[in-house]
Amino acid sequence: MKKLGFVLAIAGGLAIGSYTAVHAKLPAPAAKSDAEKASEAEKAAATKAKDTELNAKAHDKAVANYKKGKGIAMDGKPAAAPAKADKK
């Protein structure tokens, strides 16, 4: 019975400790200077441009794959229809 009380006391202490750790208030982050803000905005713009370019490439590849699978010509002309055998 003593062991059970000890285990419950340890479990309760861990529960209370984890609760207080989760709900602890953290200090506010340091204020950013104008140079840091500008640098961060520049990096975000570069990342957005790169992502847009990669997305466009992936879109073009998907369209080409779709057209290839459907038999649609890529040069804007309709694909040649398969020749039909004459029935007589």
Side-chain angles (χ1 to χ4, degrees), residues 6-72:
F6 179 73
V7 170
L8 289 176
I10 295 294
L14 288 174
I16 292 171
S18 64
Y19 178 80
T20 55
V22 167
H23 293 291
K25 183 172 180 170
L26 298 175
K32 294 182 181 179
S33 67
D34 290 338
E36 289 175 337
K37 289 179 183 178
S39 173
E40 196 172 288
E42 185 178 314
K43 287 179 185 178
T47 302
K48 184 176 180 181
K50 183 179 178 183
D51 288 346
T52 302
E53 180 184 345
L54 290 175
N55 190 17
K57 284 182 182 180
H59 185 264
D60 291 342
K61 185 176 179 181
V63 169
N65 189 29
Y66 175 79
K67 287 182 177 180
K68 180 181 173 186
K70 292 289 185 178
I72 300 172

